[in-house]
Amino acid sequence: MYNPVRPFTELDAGQQARAGGKGGTLARLYQAGYPVPDGFVILPDAFDGDALKPEARRPVEAQLARLRRGGYTAFAVRSSALSEDSAQASFGGQFETVLDVRTDAEVRDAIATVQRSRHSARVQAYSRAKGLELEHEVAVVVQRLVPAELAGVLFTADPVSGDRTKMRGNFVHGLGEQLVSGEADADEFMLARPGGAYTGPDDLKALAQRLYRLGERLEKALGYPQDIEWAVAGGKLYLLQSRPITTLVAHDPATGEWNDSLGGDYLWSNQSTGEIFTEVMTPGTRSVWKIVFDRLGTKDLPGVGIIGGRPYMNVSFLYSFLKTFMRSHDKTLRFVQARLNINIPEGMRVPEAPMSLKTLVFGILLPQIKLEWGKARLERRRAEVVGSAAERCRRLRAHIEPAGAPALIALWRGELKPLFTDLFALQDASNEQVSQRTDTLQKELTALVGEADANALLASTGTGELASLGPLVGLTQVARGEMTRETYIAQYGHRGPYENYLYIPRPVEDPGWLDAQLRDLAESPVDVNELLAKRRAKFETAWRRLQARYPQKAGSIKRKIDGLVEASHEREAVRAELTRVLDVIRAWFLRAGALTGVGDEVFFLTYPELIDALTGDDSALIYIPARRKTHQKYQELPPYPALIRGRFDPLQWAKDPDRRSDVFDAHAPVDIPDTDAIKGYPGSAGRAEGVVRRIDRAEQGDQIRPGEILVTATTNVGWTPLFPRIAAVVTDIGAPLSHAAIIARELGIPAVVGCGNATMKLQTGDRVRVDGGRGIVEILT
């Protein structure tokens, strides 16, 4: 027979949702061995309106009798609304709490008081402010009352700034209800992280380390910075409640909101992610990429976060990790800026992320060593994995089309997900190899032959073409009858501006795509093969000069150049296959959408939610309309700043007429001197003067006139067909190994990348001079 009155020990995972935020959490923590006072939960099903059902009275009395064993005589009766103490709303102090009740009759009256409080004006007002339903189902928690000598709250992070380097709290003498409800003044204290060094009144000093360890454990167990209620009686520390600090919660699954800038005071950069992810992610796309993103951080501290649907690198994570070993702030900062290709403005601080020795060893070093071993083993199979990827994708697609739910789940777990993670690991390894080889060779060549010849030697890719340039060269071959349409579509139909997203159709899905590409090529006055021939001629000229000056070193230099060429080709080849796998993952989602009846709205579900739906649990489907609305809201915003420090609200930022597109600091305005010159990274040597054409998307490429200077936030492979028409390219995001720089070097077009503020300072019609070798754009008119 169903019993809606459950002791903490017997409340299972399925019932915890009906026990409300407070009741469910307390039961879970009690079962896990935390020092929670014993108690029980009266589920909403035990009530008829605000009154306890007659059949629930006897179970309540039985539980009270159990709690009285051992001489306990006083109880605390507290609310546990189903929306209370959640990640979205705490309802702190809004519902009634009744303390120090003793008899069964007093407990019944207290239960009725707590139930009736859901109708109070303050609960209604709070609900409206949070956008929640006005009617609340309320469970009631009854616990042994702790006769507190001290009682207080502890925030494991600063609830205003998000600072994770300190835990802050306050306490009072006696029961803590007045503190929680805001009716009493309190003493403040602080616990530094890592280590828990205490600052505050002597009354709490002896218990400070126990509080610190409790806060650390709860934050890790519950997954968010915590707002903890605690009490001390007879020298023992008791846990009264733990709930997320709602201002620091990054993710709301109901709406699909995801903003990791709310989770702590960190510095974020999209310099290495913005070129790959140019649009706002849906939950489906995000869930797939988080498979690999989550390997780059810890459970509590993301190495890659999501801000308003866009991925950002956590600069604070890398800086804090490296500073542990490098010690010096200046050395660490220089290394991080070089590693991530970012320029942090003077006066913009890099907040540190607290890292204990345990986190460093078990949360970062050991998992990374394991990943590197895995990559090394995979590297030995690179040719096999990359070479077989196209055929494996063809076979997987053939199996997906007729698959039922069990087969579809098996394909994901057994083949599709492992292939995605393998190719990503190879891509990551290639990025490291190419970056290291390029930096080393660039310095050596510049010292020997100067910057101009060094750039010419590094620009060549040898006899073959990079995969990123392949769509353009292949298009020329189709136009000349040197490649069939079918071959071109098979090789490049999955490549495009949005190839890293699942919800956006691939070019091949548009029957008129290839014909439109061929028409645009016919209208271009530039011969692509001629541009490539000129670039190769520059290489040969520079190479002959080097041979003449350094005949004894020429052989060694040539081997290094050939090694870089091979590494670059391998990097581009694995990237092409990784995007092919993403195309198959898109097909997997669409098949799951057909089986679950949601169609192409399937991309507003995560892949774990889809697996649940395929096995009969379709509870996440109700979130689709709200998530679609959230995605549309963020999709309409301009690209966010390249550097973000602290709490960033994309919607509020977009409303600011004086917003910056390069930097955002929640703590203080960043003072960057305004000049007529725009500085970025040298992407491709050469100089060009012309009129700016500023566009935001590859689809706007038809606006470009021959000889104009392309200015945009970033480019990727989908922009490649536009390059033969332009005189130079300038981007906000990017580095010397980004798409814009690589393709510009191949075609002999000057490029300045990673400027940060080019789209903020330049508009269509402006006249500029681009110096790709120096990384400078001068505004002429």
Side-chain angles (χ1 to χ4, degrees):
M1 182 176 177
Y2 173 65
N3 183 1
V5 181
R6 311 297 296 175
F8 288 167
T9 53
E10 296 179 9
L11 196 70
D12 60 34
Q15 294 168 331
Q16 285 177 13
R18 294 291 296 162
K22 185 183 283 111
T25 301
L26 287 173
R28 174 183 168 188
L29 295 175
Y30 184 88
Q31 293 169 16
Y34 285 85
V36 175
D38 197 2
F40 61 93
V41 182
I42 309 170
L43 303 177
D45 309 324
F47 295 92
D48 184 1
D50 295 332
L52 195 64
K53 292 178 180 177
E55 58 268 30
R57 290 187 179 184
R58 183 167 294 178
V60 168
E61 292 167 358
Q63 288 300 320
L64 289 172
R66 181 183 66 82
L67 293 179
R68 289 190 177 103
R69 294 170 193 161
Y72 293 95
T73 59
F75 304 100
V77 182
R78 309 166 74 191
S79 65
S80 184
L82 302 198
S83 53
E84 187 178 359
D85 288 347
S86 66
Q88 286 70 53
S90 69
F91 280 92
Q94 304 303 312
F95 294 95
E96 290 291 345
T97 293
V98 185
L99 302 178
D100 199 20
V101 292
R102 297 173 180 266
T103 68
D104 288 6
E106 288 174 343
V107 171
R108 284 196 299 272
D109 288 344
I111 291 170
T113 298
V114 169
Q115 267 290 327
R116 286 195 299 270
S117 69
R118 63 190 176 130
H119 306 301
S120 69
R122 66 190 183 193
V123 169
Q124 301 291 300
Y126 185 92
S127 301
R128 288 191 187 93
K130 287 289 186 178
L132 301 171
E133 296 289 336
L134 299 184
E135 291 296 322
H136 296 277
E137 283 193 283
V138 178
V140 175
V141 174
V142 181
Q143 288 177 278
R144 288 172 174 167
L145 179 69
V146 176
E149 296 145 16
L150 296 175
V153 296
L154 174 67
F155 294 98
T156 62
D158 189 311
V160 178
S161 70
D163 183 3
R164 301 279 287 269
T165 63
K166 304 175 186 69
M167 295 185 187
R168 297 182 181 275
N170 39 50
F171 67 93
V172 296
H173 291 264
L175 298 178
E177 188 57 30
Q178 287 185 320
L179 170 62
V180 176
S181 62
E183 298 174 6
D185 293 329
D187 292 312
E188 296 184 358
F189 67 94
M190 184 182 73
L191 300 166
R193 302 177 80 176
Y198 175 74
T199 305
D202 290 340
D203 306 35
L204 191 62
K205 191 170 184 179
L207 293 158
Q209 274 299 308
R210 277 191 274 172
L211 258 181
Y212 175 75
R213 289 193 295 270
L214 179 64
E216 286 269 287
R217 285 180 63 201
L218 287 168
E219 190 173 86
K220 288 177 181 176
L222 299 176
Y224 293 109
Q226 293 292 300
D227 169 2
I228 300 164
E229 296 177 30
W230 53 271
V232 177
K236 182 177 179 180
L237 176 64
Y238 290 91
L239 173 60
L240 305 182
Q241 175 57 359
S242 190
R243 57 188 167 227
I245 301 175
T246 53
T247 57
L248 303 185
V249 173
H251 179 218
D252 182 350
T255 64
E257 302 263 1
W258 198 303
N259 189 341
D260 280 310
S261 79
L262 305 181
D265 184 17
Y266 306 128
L267 179 64
W268 304 89
S269 166
N270 71 347
Q271 185 68 290
S272 56
T273 58
E275 175 192 2
I276 303 169
F277 301 101
T278 58
E279 303 294 315
V280 175
M281 291 177 164
T282 60
T285 298
R286 184 184 66 225
S287 70
V288 170
W289 280 104
K290 275 184 68 63
I291 296 169
V292 291
F293 288 168
D294 287 349
R295 297 178 179 182
L296 305 177
T298 69
K299 179 182 177 183
D300 307 314
L301 186 60
V304 178
I306 308 294
I307 300 179
R310 296 177 184 269
Y312 275 74
M313 292 291 295
N314 189 340
V315 181
S316 291
F317 176 85
L318 180 60
Y319 170 84
S320 302
F321 173 69
L322 293 173
K323 187 169 180 284
T324 306
F325 303 98
M326 300 177 75
R327 300 294 181 184
S328 165
H329 162 75
D330 291 339
K331 287 182 180 178
T332 306
L333 190 61
R334 284 196 298 271
F335 183 88
V336 168
Q337 290 188 106
R339 173 86 174 184
L340 299 180
N341 289 302
I342 58 175
N343 289 309
I344 300 172
E346 207 171 313
M348 191 178 203
R349 190 171 71 85
V350 182
E352 289 193 48
M355 292 184 181
S356 65
L357 180 61
K358 184 177 179 181
T359 297
L360 283 169
V361 174
F362 296 102
I364 301 176
L365 284 175
L366 291 181
Q368 287 304 311
I369 290 171
K370 184 178 178 181
L371 277 177
E372 290 304 317
W373 281 345
K375 281 196 284 188
R377 289 195 300 270
L378 198 57
E379 188 66 40
R380 293 193 286 271
R381 299 175 47 237
R382 175 184 285 270
E384 172 199 341
V385 174
V386 177
S388 64
E391 174 57 25
R392 289 176 69 183
C393 286
R394 185 200 63 76
R395 180 175 52 78
L396 280 168
R397 184 182 288 277
H399 289 318
I400 285 169
E401 289 176 2
L408 200 63
I409 294 171
L411 284 169
W412 170 260
R413 290 174 173 165
E415 297 194 58
L416 197 47
K417 182 181 175 183
L419 181 57
F420 171 71
T421 55
D422 282 354
L423 286 171
F424 179 85
L426 288 172
Q427 171 78 76
D428 193 39
S430 288
N431 289 340
E432 290 287 334
Q433 293 167 15
V434 172
S435 178
Q436 291 172 6
R437 289 180 184 230
T438 300
D439 289 346
T440 302
L441 193 53
Q442 176 86 53
K443 292 173 184 175
E444 184 176 1
L445 289 173
T446 301
L448 291 175
V449 298
E451 189 173 319
D453 273 6
N455 287 334
L457 291 168
L458 287 171
S460 174
T461 62
T463 56
E465 305 301 343
L466 289 171
S468 290
L469 195 59
L472 180 58
V473 175
L475 199 62
T476 303
Q477 292 172 333
V478 173
R480 294 180 175 181
E482 299 167 2
M483 178 185 288
T484 67
R485 295 168 65 96
E486 292 73 22
T487 300
Y488 184 86
I489 289 171
Q491 288 186 13
Y492 306 116
H494 62 288
R495 305 299 309 265
Y498 314 113
E499 61 191 17
N500 292 303
Y501 295 81
L502 303 181
Y503 72 98
I504 301 177
R506 298 313 190 242
V508 70
E509 296 178 48
D510 175 5
W513 159 70
L514 182 53
D515 289 327
Q517 294 283 299
L518 290 168
R519 282 195 301 272
D520 289 343
L521 181 68
E523 294 170 4
S524 173
V526 180
D527 187 322
V528 175
N529 289 321
E530 184 180 332
L531 285 175
L532 294 173
K534 286 181 180 178
R535 173 53 68 191
R536 284 191 284 271
K538 287 184 179 180
F539 170 84
E540 294 297 336
T541 301
W543 176 246
R544 284 194 295 271
R545 282 197 289 262
L546 184 146
Q547 282 181 308
R549 292 178 62 184
Y550 305 101
Q552 294 180 331
K553 293 185 177 182
S556 172
I557 295 293
K558 186 64 166 62
R559 286 191 294 274
K560 291 177 183 178
I561 291 175
D562 289 345
L564 176 58
V565 167
E566 183 180 358
S568 298
H569 283 202
E570 287 179 349
R571 184 182 84 145
E572 296 303 313
V574 72
R575 178 182 291 176
E577 296 311 317
L578 182 61
T579 57
R580 192 189 305 277
V581 172
L582 285 167
D583 184 28
V584 181
I585 293 176
R586 170 176 161 79
W588 184 91
F589 266 75
L590 287 170
R591 179 58 182 161
L595 292 173
T596 56
V598 298
D600 59 8
E601 294 205 320
V602 69
F603 300 109
F604 294 103
L605 298 172
T606 66
Y607 81 81
E609 290 170 340
L610 266 179
I611 290 174
D612 287 344
L614 290 168
T615 54
D617 177 6
D618 61 358
S619 56
L621 272 58
I622 62 171
Y623 298 146
I624 288 176
R627 291 177 180 181
R628 187 194 322 110
K629 184 177 179 181
T630 296
H631 180 263
Q632 181 63 32
K633 180 173 62 177
Y634 286 119
Q635 188 68 16
E636 292 171 354
L637 302 181
Y640 313 150
L643 284 175
I644 292 173
R645 185 210 162 173
R647 299 169 62 83
F648 175 73
D649 182 338
L651 299 171
Q652 291 301 315
W653 166 81
K655 292 177 183 177
D656 182 0
D658 299 320
R659 67 178 182 269
R660 299 187 66 101
S661 64
D662 51 353
V663 294
F664 173 88
D665 192 327
H667 299 270
V670 179
D671 185 19
I672 301 177
D674 192 23
T675 66
D676 287 338
I678 298 169
K679 180 71 175 155
Y681 292 98
S684 177
R687 295 181 180 85
E689 185 176 315
V691 174
V692 165
R693 175 64 62 176
R694 186 197 173 304
I695 61 175
D696 298 319
R697 309 170 79 88
E699 294 90 337
Q700 299 170 324
D702 58 356
Q703 300 174 18
I704 297 175
R705 300 291 174 264
E708 289 185 325
I709 310 289
L710 171 61
V711 176
T712 189
T714 188
T715 71
N716 58 29
V717 68
W719 293 65
T720 302
L722 306 180
F723 275 58
R725 282 187 259 159
I726 61 178
V729 58
V730 180
T731 67
D732 284 343
I733 297 166
L737 292 177
S738 64
H739 171 269
I742 291 171
I743 301 303
R745 285 196 295 269
E746 275 302 296
L747 298 179
I749 298 168
V752 179
V753 297
C755 299
N757 61 352
T759 58
M760 183 175 77
K761 300 191 73 170
L762 297 175
Q763 299 297 326
T764 296
D766 291 344
R767 191 165 189 84
V768 298
R769 182 183 296 118
V770 177
D771 188 332
R774 295 167 59 211
I776 291 175
V777 181
E778 297 176 74
I779 303 174
L780 303 178
T781 56

